[in-house]
Amino acid sequence: MEVPDKFLWPKFPLQRPYMKNSRLFKFKNKAIYVDFPNPTIQQIYHDIIEKCDGIPDPVLALNCAEEFIKEANIEFDEVFLRWSDASGRNLKPFFRLHIQNNISGKKPYLFGYSFNKGKFIYFLKEFSESTNISLEEKYKYITSCKFSGENFSVDTTFSFRPQNKTLDNSTMKQYRSAFDKLSQPIISSINGVLEGLLVFLRESLYKGRKIYNNSVVVSFVPDIIAEMDEIKVLVQEGFLSSCYREIRSLTERLSYVILDDYLTVNSFLLLEKYHQENHLPYMLLNINPSWRDENTEPIRKLDEIIPPEIISILKKKEVEKLRKELLKRMSIEMYVTLTGVPAHKSDKTRAPFIERESIDIGIKEIQDTLESVNPDISETFTKIIEERWEGYLYGIPKFPTSNFIFHFLKGVFGSKMKRIESIWNKYSLFIHPYPFTWQVFQNTSILEYKVFLKEVQDLENVVTTEIGSILEYFENSKKLGQNH
C-alpha cells in the first residue's frame, strides 16, 4: 500500500506529553497518531522522568534513559518478531525509540521516536488480514493504542460520540475529518460484503420455499437480514465491539435452527417409513430457561449419544464409525431415545417431549442402524436402551449446549462447519469482561475497521456454508416438496 505524499493519518486531539518538573528530557514528537502505541511510549517517557531525571549528573541521567530505551526497543522487536512468525510476513517495527541532543531548547535531551510511514501502513494491512494472528492478539494491540477517559477533557470525551455532529473545537474537526476519510472506504467494503450476503439470503428464501416450505431455516432468514442491517448501523456509528456480540448470537441461533431442520426432515422420512402421523415438536426451537432447569445435567459431547457400556467395548475407530452412522440417520425420535430423560409425566410449557410410541420408533431405527454398521453389538446396545425406557410414558431431551450443537453439525456436514464454532469461541472475548475488548471510544482506530472487514468476510462464508448445506440436504432428501 503506497503512502500518499501528504500523510493524512488521523491524529488524536491531544498535546504531546509535557512534564513540568522535568529538568533534562523533553518529548520530541508532536503528532499523536491513531493506531500507534502512544500510551506505551508515553509511559516509557514517564518512567524515564521518574527514574533518570533526578540524577544530578546529566551524563549518568542520559545513560539511565538509554538503558530504558534499549530494553523497550528489544521488547518491541520481540513482539513484532512473534507477529511476523505467526503471519508469515516481515512485520518489522515501524518506529524506534531514541534520545538525541536538544540543540535549540532549554532541556538538553529530546526523547522520542523515528517513524517509517510506509512500514506503518504495511503493518496495518498485513496485521489486520492475517488469519494466523488471533483476534485476541489483534485487539490487545488495538487497545494498547487507545487512550482512556482520563486522557481527554470531558468535552472532548463527549465529542467522540458519532451523534455529536456540531464540533466547535477545530482540532476535533480535523481529527473527525481525517478519520472519516480513511474509515469510510473500509466501511463501504464491509457494507459490500453484507450486501453480497443479503443477495445470497434473498436467493435462499426463494430456493428454500420451493424445496421445503416448512423449513425453520427459511423462517429464520428474515432475522438474519435484520441482523445484517443492524450490523451496518453499528459499523457506521463505530460500535464495532457490539458487532461481534451480535454476530456471535446470530451464528449460535442459526446453528440451532439448522440442526432442528435436520432432525425434523429425518423424522418426516422416518414417519413415512412407519406410516405414522407427525405430532412431533420442534426440538431445538423450544430452548428456554425452564427446559434447562428440567435437566440438571445438559448434554455436552457427541459421545453421550452412545451408552458408555458400548464405548468401553469398542475400538476408537469403531465408535467413530457408529457415531457417524447414527448422526446420519438422526431424527427427533432417535435423538430423544438416545439422549433423553425418561419421564412419567410431561409439561410442554417447560420442555419439549415425545410420547412412548415415538420412543419405540426411535428404538427400532437405532436397531436398524446397528445391524447395518455393527451387528455384533446390536443386541447389547438395544437392550441397554430398552431397559432405560422400560415403564416410562414420555421422553424429554437433555438441554443441549452450544458446543454440542456445533459438534453435531460437524459430524453431519463435515469439517466445513468448524468455522462457525471458531467464530462462536473467539467472539466470546466480547461477551466476557476482558478489558482489551472494551469499546473505550468509538472511531479511534482505523485498524479496528480493517480487522472487522476480515471478520465479516468470515461471517459471509459461515452463513453461506451453513444455509447452503441444509438446503442441499433438503434437495437430497426424499420427502421434501410435499410441504409437511
Side-chain angles (χ1 to χ4, degrees):
M1 182 175 181
E2 294 184 1
V3 182
D5 293 336
K6 194 173 182 182
F7 190 65
L8 299 177
W9 201 262
K11 294 176 286 188
F12 283 114
L14 286 169
Q15 300 298 316
R16 61 180 167 182
Y18 174 67
M19 304 291 286
K20 291 182 179 179
N21 298 327
S22 169
R23 297 182 305 110
L24 305 173
F25 302 98
K26 181 180 181 180
F27 198 94
K28 181 184 76 168
N29 306 83
K30 293 182 180 180
I32 304 188
Y33 289 112
V34 164
D35 293 318
F36 201 92
N38 298 290
T40 302
I41 293 173
Q42 291 186 17
Q43 184 59 53
I44 294 170
Y45 173 61
H46 291 157
D47 290 342
I48 288 173
I49 299 299
E50 181 182 350
K51 302 294 184 181
C52 306
D53 194 70
I55 298 175
D57 186 339
V59 175
L60 294 178
L62 176 61
N63 292 339
C64 173
E66 287 178 339
E67 190 62 32
F68 265 97
I69 290 171
K70 179 181 178 182
E71 291 179 5
N73 282 331
I74 290 173
E75 288 181 9
F76 284 128
D77 285 342
E78 290 174 349
V79 171
F80 277 79
L81 179 61
R82 187 175 74 246
W83 289 335
S84 294
D85 290 342
S87 65
R89 296 288 189 271
N90 189 13
L91 300 179
K92 291 182 178 179
F94 45 82
F95 64 94
R96 301 298 290 177
L97 302 182
H98 60 253
I99 290 278
Q100 66 186 67
N101 291 324
N102 185 8
I103 58 176
S104 60
K106 294 180 180 180
K107 298 178 183 181
Y109 305 122
L110 291 174
F111 165 85
Y113 55 85
S114 56
F115 178 35
N116 187 307
K117 296 166 185 175
K119 288 183 179 179
F120 177 61
I121 298 299
Y122 177 80
F123 166 78
L124 296 179
K125 178 181 183 300
E126 297 299 331
F127 185 78
S128 62
E129 294 178 0
S130 173
T131 57
N132 295 321
I133 298 175
S134 69
L135 187 63
E136 176 181 346
E137 190 85 353
K138 291 176 182 179
Y139 258 83
K140 282 182 176 178
Y141 177 78
I142 290 169
T143 305
S144 75
C145 297
K146 290 189 175 186
F147 290 96
S148 61
E150 66 181 10
N151 299 103
F152 297 99
S153 68
V154 173
D155 289 341
T156 302
T157 295
F158 276 82
S159 66
F160 275 111
R161 300 167 71 226
Q163 58 267 47
N164 188 351
K165 304 299 183 185
T166 57
L167 299 173
D168 296 328
N169 187 313
S170 60
T171 306
M172 194 64 197
K173 282 182 181 179
Q174 292 172 6
Y175 171 81
R176 182 73 66 82
S177 175
F179 192 93
D180 288 348
K181 187 172 183 178
L182 289 174
S183 64
Q184 285 304 318
I186 308 173
I187 292 174
S188 296
S189 296
I190 292 170
N191 287 338
V193 175
L194 295 174
E195 284 297 329
L197 185 51
L198 287 170
V199 170
F200 169 79
L201 293 171
R202 183 184 182 90
E203 294 171 352
S204 298
L205 264 178
Y206 282 120
K207 184 177 181 179
R209 285 173 177 170
K210 289 180 180 179
I211 302 172
Y212 178 40
N213 194 45
N214 279 4
S215 162
V216 288
V217 171
V218 172
S219 300
F220 186 67
V221 166
D223 194 71
I224 306 176
I225 294 171
E227 199 76 69
M228 297 302 102
D229 290 334
E230 183 175 357
I231 290 171
K232 282 184 180 181
V233 173
L234 291 171
V235 169
Q236 186 62 50
E237 297 300 307
F239 298 107
L240 297 184
S241 290
S242 297
C243 292
Y244 291 104
R245 290 187 280 272
E246 292 296 329
I247 292 172
R248 187 179 193 265
S249 173
L250 171 64
T251 54
E252 184 176 36
R253 285 178 283 137
L254 179 58
S255 296
Y256 276 75
V257 167
I258 286 176
L259 186 51
D260 197 291
D261 252 354
Y262 178 80
L263 295 175
T264 302
V265 166
N266 285 347
S267 285
F268 287 150
L269 300 174
L270 192 60
L271 290 170
E272 183 182 54
K273 175 180 176 181
Y274 290 103
H275 306 290
Q276 299 287 326
E277 293 294 326
N278 175 33
H279 300 295
L280 298 173
Y282 287 112
M283 191 52 53
L284 300 177
L285 296 191
N286 283 283
I287 296 292
N288 62 76
S290 297
W291 182 5
R292 181 185 288 274
D293 294 340
E294 189 86 15
N295 297 287
T296 56
E297 185 62 33
I299 184 166
R300 302 178 183 277
K301 299 178 180 179
L302 279 184
D303 277 349
E304 293 182 51
I305 69 175
I306 302 175
E309 303 96 314
I310 299 298
I311 291 179
S312 66
I313 63 175
L314 293 178
K315 295 178 180 178
K316 184 178 179 181
K317 287 186 177 181
E318 292 175 325
V319 172
E320 292 174 353
K321 182 179 180 182
L322 175 58
R323 183 175 60 226
K324 182 177 181 180
E325 194 62 28
L326 287 171
L327 293 178
K328 179 181 176 182
R329 303 190 187 194
M330 191 69 70
S331 59
I332 293 173
E333 294 89 342
M334 283 182 65
Y335 177 73
V336 179
T337 302
L338 288 169
T339 70
V341 178
H344 291 295
K345 58 180 181 179
S346 61
D347 181 358
K348 64 182 178 181
T349 64
R350 293 184 61 82
F353 66 88
I354 63 175
E355 297 180 354
R356 180 55 198 246
E357 182 181 23
S358 295
I359 294 292
D360 291 336
I361 292 175
I363 292 173
K364 290 179 184 177
E365 189 64 10
I366 291 167
Q367 192 169 19
D368 286 350
T369 304
L370 294 169
E371 289 292 341
S372 66
V373 180
N374 194 332
D376 294 338
I377 64 164
S378 178
E379 183 178 348
T380 304
F381 194 123
T382 305
K383 184 178 179 181
I384 292 170
I385 299 297
E386 287 175 337
E387 288 178 352
R388 180 194 299 174
W389 292 100
E390 186 175 353
Y392 289 96
L393 299 175
Y394 302 99
I396 300 172
K398 285 187 177 182
F399 191 90
T401 63
S402 295
N403 277 322
F404 173 79
I405 300 294
F406 298 142
H407 292 162
F408 199 121
L409 290 177
K410 281 192 294 183
V412 170
F413 296 110
S415 60
K416 59 186 175 182
M417 287 293 177
K418 284 183 178 179
R419 286 179 298 185
I420 189 165
E421 183 184 13
S422 173
I423 278 185
W424 189 81
N425 282 328
K426 68 181 179 178
Y427 289 3
S428 67
L429 296 171
F430 299 87
I431 301 297
H432 302 297
Y434 301 127
F436 59 86
T437 61
W438 295 357
Q439 188 67 66
V440 187
F441 288 109
Q442 315 96 286
N443 297 324
T444 54
S445 172
I446 299 298
L447 177 60
E448 191 171 17
Y449 281 94
K450 288 177 173 288
V451 169
F452 186 69
L453 173 58
K454 178 67 179 66
E455 295 299 322
V456 86
Q457 290 167 343
D458 288 346
L459 170 66
E460 180 187 33
N461 289 333
V462 164
V463 173
T464 55
T465 296
E466 281 210 295
I467 294 181
S469 295
I470 194 64
L471 291 181
E472 182 181 358
Y473 189 74
F474 292 162
E475 286 184 303
N476 294 335
S477 297
K478 302 174 185 177
K479 186 74 175 177
L480 306 178
Q482 297 185 14
N483 294 329
H484 283 275

